[in-house]
Amino acid sequence: QVRLLESGGGSVQTGGSLKLSCVVSGSTDGGYCMGWFRQVTGKKREGVASLYTYRGVIANRDYAESVKGRFTATRDNRVNTLYLQIDRVDPEDTAMYYCAAEPRPSIDGELYSCPRDNDQYRYWGQGTQVTVSS
């Protein structure tokens, strides 16, 4: 079991940058899918990025088409934190952002691709709000 705590949201002007953090409590060494999602009030939660982590290795990062080239998901294993770098922000990026985790134990060291479907993730943080002004 893991616990997730996001931070780093706030207000930013169009064209600026923001870096969201998600501190992971608990071990993910056995293999986990990790994802970043966002949700606008009244709309369905959208998966924007996913990656697989196993024994400190990050693999198979995947992004929604709408954010490719602007969003970058990374992880610093020294502080057990997942990040989402958001560049050239746009008002359409305004949303509550969540990180999520789902155990997926690696078999024989295999590194898996991870989904961006929110119903595939068991553990969620409380979210951090990003507001982009024009």
Side-chain angles (χ1 to χ4, degrees), residues 33-99:
C33 282
M34 307 289 298
W36 281 100
F37 295 78
R38 65 185 181 184
Q39 188 170 27
V40 176
T41 302
K43 293 190 176 182
K44 184 180 176 182
R45 190 174 295 183
E46 173 193 20
V48 295
S50 65
L51 56 84
Y52 185 74
T53 180
Y54 171 66
R55 293 186 180 180
V57 175
I58 306 300
N60 299 325
R61 282 181 280 192
D62 185 52
Y63 300 94
E65 286 297 324
S66 60
V67 305
K68 273 184 182 176
R70 297 193 302 117
F71 285 28
T72 306
T74 59
R75 178 170 175 167
D76 187 338
N77 291 313
R78 297 168 300 174
V79 292
N80 214 12
T81 300
L82 185 71
Y83 299 101
L84 184 68
Q85 176 71 37
I86 306 175
D87 296 320
R88 304 190 305 280
V89 296
D90 182 270
E92 291 191 354
D93 295 325
T94 295
M96 183 72 81
Y97 283 74
Y98 300 88
C99 68

Side-chain angles (χ1 to χ4, degrees), residues 95-109:
M96 183 72 81
Y97 283 74
Y98 300 88
C99 68
E102 175 65 23
R104 186 162 185 192
S106 176
I107 299 174
D108 297 329

